[in-house]
């Protein structure tokens, strides 16, 4: 009786042969999945389906070695986007994917184009597809796991692997993440770079592997290289072998790629030299043809040796040299990125790997060594179902009524401190993040209260300095994470902290705070984090042209409408401190749950007189106001007439100008209602629901803009005017829309508002025009 595959020595010839058999089947399945989607499945529209057979093939050896020999249940893997068919093929062999899905790649309801945690039917650890973002996600996943483990516990251990295409290293997000000081201590992070030296359009002339290795080394990473397979290494030891090594090492990438397309006779001609003759003359055609493509990224024992050399005390990157399209008829071709095998070529592949076109999805014969390896691997990688812990109750209203003059930015820090007193268990789950702007965004009090998170406690050398206001106490129980000045890192970490409820059943309430002008810089990775199931709160502050002296470079214009349009997110722009508290608490209550959603709060540094909010003293009336604020809008001034001449709709810091304009219009004999919008997005959904285009509640429209008080409308906000323009359609009234459509100017607030036409005078002129 033969020894079960799982019990053989991982480096034995017998075990390697079984692993190679599984590798061939993974190559076949991943290729066939794409082939079926493009050649077999009916396509009445004729539109390109696509897929990446060559990009998948270059990853097959790496993923086979990792999954079937070294991966553990507690580990997590981010798979490069174009290798998604390889992941599905592996999951199928392990019993984690039903056969019916193998014919559904890029079909509605089927396998997604790229790995998706939320949409694919099988196990996907990280959503990828946005180049660079999926690659860096395991870094922030490791940070999130460590944070959970040191604060609440329950996240366990495990490596965080990232399978990266070499072209992804062109992305700036990669280097921003690698260079963040927090990353150097994350020894569980392992990147495996598929170094096939091809991008979408071409063979990259100079991939600069040595330079890339030096950059990782300089960042404190362990750098491992798997360049040559065992066959080449053995040839290098023969007479003339060292010359062959030099010849391959010195040739440019395109020349090497061309050799992959040569016949053995052509290879001999191109490699011919006096130095190489002693070696080439001893090699038959089959050996020579195999040797030139015998790179380390396709040599299973070499890959396993590299995995065993990982040093868990610091991050590791493994550069695995590969051939794009390895094992396929298209291997090494400079235009093979999206190419598909012909019917003849797919048949030849089936014959070579021992399967059949008549039964393409057949698994290994029961009782075979390969079948036992698959069964053993499935058992080893089986995970217990995640049962999310419930977030402790979060109060809807803490009960304070702010007075005096304050800003919505300052109200954020105040609300967080109040939460620690009113709901301490929920407050323990709050984690804040900043890209080096904690003090300038009014989080100083919160940071002093909860401390700064660090994997290990550090000395606060300024603890005894009486002039130090912001105390930087770093410890594993801290609740504030400070990252370097890189907004992409901030939101990437935010997304992963927002997935802990689904990864380990341990919910967090993550809040990222950054300058609002940089929200758009961070929007794509944050959006991708939401797509991957990350629930978090993004706070943009200060915002708009209201921070007038800072100048045009720091004045955000389009963020209100961007927030309105972001899927999986509710956007708020509160006008008063109490609005901040209510919307923040409501947003926190939506996090860490299967039906949860993210939020974006746009805050301001402009002091506003809080008495203008006219918060009802009666508890029932106060609760009604709170519900309106959370739902998107509330009437803040109702003219003492049956129907006003004009309705002024405002948002955020512009409430002061709107109310002042209403008072002056009243003196002119024009009666104005003023409505304060807190969420344009929620109002838009309510309006869509009226015509059956959404499922949102519509009561807020009747509450904030009742039909019996419909009148010509002026909308005004510190942002692009089209954000609120749709509100004129609630009752189909004449309207004028004021906002910011040009780059900002430095100057005092009055001058800047006048420049953009959002001052009280401009509101009055617009109101008189629409009311006439």
């Amino acid at each position: 009786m033969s020894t079960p595959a799982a019990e053989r020595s991982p480096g034995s010839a017998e075990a390697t042969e079984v692993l190679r058999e599984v590798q061939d089947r993974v190559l076949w399945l991943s290729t066939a999945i794409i082939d079926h989607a493009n050649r077999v499945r009916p396509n009445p529209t004729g539109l390109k389906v696509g897929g990446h057979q060559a990009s998948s093939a270059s990853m097959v050896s790496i993923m086979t070695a990792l999954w079937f020999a070294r991966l553990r249940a507690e580990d997590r893997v981010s798979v490069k986007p174009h290798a998604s068919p390889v992941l599905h093929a592996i999951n199928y062999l392990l019993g984690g994917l039903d056969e019916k899905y193998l014919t559904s790649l890029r079909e509605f309801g089927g396998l997604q184009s790229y790995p998706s945690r939320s949409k694919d039917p099988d196990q996907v650890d990280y959503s990828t597809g946005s180049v660079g973002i999926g690659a860096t996600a395991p870094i922030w996943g490791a940070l999130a796991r460590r944070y959970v483990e040191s604060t609440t516990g329950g996240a366990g251990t495990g490596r965080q692997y990232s399978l990266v295409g070499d072209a992804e290293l062109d992305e700036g997000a990669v280097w921003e993440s690698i260079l963040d000081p927090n990353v150097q201590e994350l020894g569980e992070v392992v990147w495996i770079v598929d170094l096939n030296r091809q991008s979408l359009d071409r063979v990259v002339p100079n991939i600069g592997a040595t330079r890339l290795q030096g950059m990782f080394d300089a960042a404190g990473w362990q750098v491992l290289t798997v360049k040559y397979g065992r066959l080449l290494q053995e040839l290098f030891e023969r007479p003339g072998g060292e010359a062959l090594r030099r010849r391959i090492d010195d040739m440019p990438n395109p020349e090497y790629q061309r050799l992959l397309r040569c016949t053995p006779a052509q290879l001999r001609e191109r490699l011919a030299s006096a130095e190489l003759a002693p070696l080439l003359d001893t090699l038959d055609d089959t050996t020579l043809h195999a040797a030139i493509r015998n790179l380390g990224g396709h040599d299973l024992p070499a890959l396993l040796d590299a995995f065993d050399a990982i040093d868990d005390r610091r991050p590791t990157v493994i550069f695995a040299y590969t051939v794009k399209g390895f094992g396929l008829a298209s291997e090494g071709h400079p235009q093979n990125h999206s190419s598909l095998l012909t019917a003849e070529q797919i048949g030849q592949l089936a014959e070579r790997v021992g399967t059949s076109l008549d039964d393409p999805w057949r698994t290994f014969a029961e009782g075979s060594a390969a079948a036992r390896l698959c069964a053993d691997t499935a058992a080893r990688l089986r995970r217990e179902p995640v049962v999310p812990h419930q977030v402790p109750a979060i109060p809807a209203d803490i009960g304070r009524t702010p007075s005096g003059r304050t800003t919505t930015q300052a109200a954020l820090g105040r609300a967080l401190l109040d939460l620690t007193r009113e709901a301490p268990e929920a407050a323990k789950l709050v984690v804040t993040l900043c890209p080096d702007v904690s003090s300038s965004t009014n989080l100083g009090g919160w940071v002093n209260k909860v401390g700064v998170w660090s994997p290990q406690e550090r000395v606060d050398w300024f603890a005894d300095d009486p002039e130090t206001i912001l105390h930087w106490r770093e410890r594993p129980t801290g609740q504030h994470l400070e990252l370097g000045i890189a907004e992409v890192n901030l939101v990437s970490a935010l997304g992963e902290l927002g997935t802990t409820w689904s990864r380990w059943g341990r919910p967090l309430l993550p809040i990222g705070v950054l300058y609002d002008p940089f929200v758009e810089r961070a929007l794509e990775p944050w959006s991708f984090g939401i797509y991957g199931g990350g629930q978090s709160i993004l706070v943009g502050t200060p915002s708009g042209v209201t921070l007038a002296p800072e100048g045009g470079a720091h004045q955000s214009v389009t963020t209100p409408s961007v927030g309105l349009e972001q899927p999986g997110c509710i956007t708020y722009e509160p006008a008063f401190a109490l609005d901040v508290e209510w919307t923040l608490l409501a947003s926190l209550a939506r996090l860490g749950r299967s039906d949860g959603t993210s939020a974006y709060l746009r805050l301001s540094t402009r002091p506003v007189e809080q008495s203008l909010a006219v918060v009802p003293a009666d508890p029932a009336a106060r609760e009604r106001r709170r519900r309106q604020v959370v739902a998107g809008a509330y009437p803040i001034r109702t003219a003492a007439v049956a129907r006003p001449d004009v309705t002024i709709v405002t948002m955020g810091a512009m409430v002061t100008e709107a109310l002042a304009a209403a008072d002056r219009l009243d003196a002119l004999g024009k009666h104005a209602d003023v409505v304060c919008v807190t969420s344009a997005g929620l109002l838009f959904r309510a309006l869509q629901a009226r015509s059956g285009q959404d499922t949102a509640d519509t009561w807020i429209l009747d509450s904030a803009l009742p039909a019996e008080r419909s009148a010509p409308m002026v909308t005004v906000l510190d942002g692009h005017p089209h954000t609120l323009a749709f509100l004129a359609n609630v009752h189909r009234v004449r309207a004028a829309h004021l906002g910011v459509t040009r780059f900002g100017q430095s100057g005092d607030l009055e001058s800047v508002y006048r420049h953009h036409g959002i001052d009280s005078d401009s509101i009055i002129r617009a109101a008189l025009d629409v009311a006439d």
Side-chain angles (χ1 to χ4, degrees):
M1 181 182 292
S2 61
T3 305
E7 297 178 13
R8 298 187 190 117
S9 169
S12 71
E14 189 181 3
T16 299
E17 192 54 41
V18 176
L19 205 55
R20 189 171 289 115
E21 185 180 355
V22 172
Q23 170 191 262
D24 286 346
R25 188 59 60 89
V26 172
L27 174 64
W28 163 255
L29 288 170
S30 59
T31 306
I33 286 170
I34 300 168
D35 178 71
H36 188 281
N38 286 272
R39 279 197 324 104
V40 181
R41 192 170 69 215
N43 182 9
T45 66
L47 292 175
K48 172 188 172 183
V49 176
H52 301 85
Q53 290 177 334
S55 293
S56 292
S58 68
M59 285 297 304
V60 166
S61 303
I62 293 170
M63 293 177 67
T64 300
L66 183 60
W67 259 262
F68 290 88
R70 292 296 184 267
L71 202 64
R72 301 166 301 173
E74 62 267 29
D75 298 334
R76 299 291 184 271
V77 188
S78 171
V79 177
K80 82 170 189 177
H82 292 164
S84 63
V86 184
L87 176 62
H88 298 311
I90 289 173
N91 284 340
Y92 172 63
L93 289 176
L94 298 181
L97 181 67
D98 192 283
E99 180 181 317
K100 67 181 181 181
Y101 287 107
L102 300 181
T103 60
S104 71
L105 180 69
R106 302 192 175 197
E107 186 177 55
F108 186 82
L111 299 177
Q112 299 300 297
S113 304
Y114 310 120
S116 171
R117 287 190 76 222
S118 57
K119 295 182 180 180
D120 273 317
D122 51 342
Q123 182 172 287
V124 174
D125 291 334
Y126 287 97
S127 295
T128 60
S130 183
V131 176
I133 304 304
T136 62
I139 286 178
W140 311 116
L143 192 72
R145 187 203 63 77
R146 286 207 184 191
Y147 181 90
V148 169
E149 190 61 24
S150 67
T151 55
T152 67
T157 59
R159 284 179 179 165
Q160 301 283 330
Y161 289 94
S162 185
L163 308 183
V164 186
D166 52 7
E168 287 192 88
L169 298 183
D170 291 343
E171 285 289 334
V174 166
W175 301 104
E176 286 187 358
S177 65
I178 288 169
L179 293 175
D180 191 273
N182 289 288
V183 175
Q184 294 180 19
E185 298 179 335
L186 301 178
E188 62 268 46
V189 171
V190 179
W191 283 26
I192 306 172
V193 179
D194 172 17
L195 201 69
N196 61 45
R197 291 151 294 173
Q198 284 187 239
S199 62
L200 189 151
D201 290 328
R202 59 176 182 158
V203 176
V204 180
N206 181 12
I207 198 67
T210 302
R211 174 174 54 85
L212 293 171
Q213 291 162 353
M215 293 167 71
F216 276 97
D217 181 66
W221 288 49
Q222 177 193 24
V223 179
L224 302 174
T225 301
V226 189
K227 187 170 185 178
Y228 296 120
R230 296 295 174 90
L231 173 58
L232 270 178
Q233 290 180 30
E234 191 272 325
L235 294 181
F236 292 157
E237 299 299 318
R238 298 186 188 182
E242 189 56 37
L244 178 61
R245 182 197 292 270
R246 288 197 304 270
R247 180 75 174 87
I248 296 175
D249 283 346
D250 292 344
M251 69 175 59
N253 292 329
E255 181 184 0
Y256 175 79
Q257 294 291 117
R258 183 63 186 89
L259 295 182
L260 298 172
R261 309 295 299 171
C262 291
T263 64
Q266 292 169 332
L267 278 175
R268 294 182 189 278
E269 180 181 351
R270 288 173 180 265
L271 294 174
S273 71
E275 288 185 312
L276 287 174
L279 178 64
L280 295 180
D281 291 346
T282 67
L283 303 180
D284 59 43
D285 285 353
T286 300
T287 303
L288 179 60
H289 187 266
I292 205 65
R293 55 198 16 86
N294 181 229
L295 297 181
H298 302 299
D299 190 285
L300 296 170
L303 287 166
L304 296 179
D305 287 346
F307 297 158
D308 292 339
I310 293 171
D311 179 1
D312 285 323
R313 294 171 298 180
R314 55 180 174 151
T316 296
V317 59
I318 301 173
F319 286 93
Y321 281 71
T322 62
V323 173
K324 194 165 186 174
F326 184 77
L328 304 182
S330 61
E331 68 178 3
H333 194 284
Q335 279 83 52
N336 67 6
H337 183 79
S338 297
S339 67
L340 298 169
L341 298 187
T342 65
E344 181 182 1
Q345 290 169 338
I346 198 80
Q348 292 169 348
L349 176 64
E351 183 177 356
R352 181 171 68 79
V353 301
T355 188
S356 167
L357 286 174
D358 296 330
D359 187 12
W361 317 123
R362 148 178 109 202
T363 54
F364 295 111
E366 187 176 352
S368 66
R372 290 197 297 272
L373 177 58
C374 290
D376 293 344
T377 301
R380 169 167 47 85
L381 298 181
R382 188 169 295 118
R383 298 173 186 168
E384 293 299 320
V386 174
V387 180
H389 287 216
Q390 192 170 359
V391 176
I394 295 172
D397 185 354
I398 290 174
R400 287 194 318 111
T401 303
S403 59
R405 285 168 58 82
T406 190
T407 70
T408 53
Q409 176 178 285
L412 172 69
R414 179 78 263 170
L416 289 174
L417 288 172
D418 287 344
L419 187 66
T420 64
R421 290 187 291 271
E422 296 298 319
E425 292 306 309
K428 287 178 183 177
L429 301 182
V430 173
V431 51
T432 55
L433 296 83
C434 269
D436 199 35
V437 292
S438 299
S439 55
S440 57
T441 55
N442 286 94
L443 282 182
W446 163 259
V447 172
N448 287 343
K449 172 76 174 178
V450 301
V452 178
W453 183 84
S454 173
Q456 56 190 6
E457 189 154 353
R458 305 185 194 279
V459 176
D460 179 8
W461 295 104
F462 289 86
D464 59 348
D465 185 343
E467 296 184 8
T468 298
I469 299 175
L470 181 61
H471 298 288
W472 215 250
R473 301 186 182 95
E474 298 179 85
R475 52 183 183 258
T477 56
Q479 292 179 242
H480 177 75
L481 272 166
E482 191 83 2
L483 290 91
I485 307 174
E487 286 77 16
V488 171
N489 285 352
L490 172 87
V491 296
S492 297
L494 198 64
E496 289 307 316
L497 288 162
T499 63
T500 60
W501 67 274
S502 59
R503 289 198 192 283
W504 303 291
R506 304 288 174 165
L508 294 174
L509 306 176
I511 303 172
V513 184
L514 74 166
Y515 289 170
D516 194 66
F518 306 137
V519 163
E520 288 168 293
R521 180 188 300 176
L523 185 63
E524 193 263 343
W526 187 55
S527 175
F528 202 78
I530 296 174
Y531 171 78
Q535 299 169 12
S536 61
I537 298 173
L538 187 65
V539 178
T541 182
S543 63
V545 300
T546 295
L547 63 158
E550 291 279 355
H554 273 60
Q555 295 172 353
S556 55
V557 174
T558 61
T559 48
S561 54
V562 165
L564 182 155
E565 296 156 5
Q566 174 60 45
C569 167
I570 295 175
T571 298
Y572 289 112
E573 185 164 348
F576 299 99
L578 191 54
D579 296 354
V580 174
E581 177 191 298
W582 286 338
T583 56
L584 176 66
L585 294 174
S587 298
L588 288 170
R590 298 187 187 105
L591 302 180
R593 39 192 262 193
S594 59
D595 61 344
T597 186
S598 294
Y600 162 44
L601 272 62
R602 189 175 189 253
L603 306 183
S604 173
T605 50
R606 183 188 180 183
V608 172
E609 176 55 53
Q610 298 301 298
S611 63
L612 295 175
V614 195
V615 179
D618 181 82
R622 178 187 174 101
E623 172 59 15
R624 179 172 182 268
R625 166 70 69 84
R626 188 200 66 79
R627 290 182 65 245
Q628 291 173 325
V629 167
V630 171
Y634 58 95
I636 193 172
R637 183 187 192 277
T638 303
V641 292
R643 186 185 290 269
D645 297 295
V646 65
T647 299
I648 300 173
V649 179
T650 188
M651 189 163 69
M654 301 309 305
V655 69
T656 300
E657 277 62 39
L659 290 170
D663 289 341
R664 291 171 57 187
L665 284 167
D666 192 57
L668 294 172
K670 296 292 185 180
H671 304 291
D673 283 356
V674 180
V675 175
C676 186
V677 171
T678 54
S679 177
L682 291 178
L683 296 185
F684 183 75
R685 286 195 60 191
L687 185 59
Q688 290 286 89
R690 275 191 174 179
S691 56
Q693 303 300 312
D694 203 306
T695 57
D697 290 331
T698 61
W699 67 267
I700 188 60
L701 296 178
D702 300 323
S703 178
L705 295 167
E708 64 272 15
R709 298 194 67 80
S710 64
M713 180 180 292
V714 174
T715 65
V716 58
L717 75 154
D718 186 356
H720 200 283
H722 95 268
T723 307
L724 298 178
F726 71 91
L727 290 172
N729 287 328
V730 173
H731 298 301
R732 293 182 172 83
V733 296
R734 293 179 59 194
H737 307 292
L738 309 181
V740 180
T741 58
R742 293 172 286 172
F743 287 116
Q745 298 283 341
S746 294
D748 62 274
L749 200 60
E750 184 179 351
S751 298
V752 170
Y753 279 3
R754 187 183 308 113
H755 171 75
H756 290 286
I758 55 176
D759 59 324
S760 293
D761 286 355
S762 298
I763 297 172
I764 291 168
R765 285 194 295 269
L768 293 173
D769 287 342
V770 297
D772 285 344

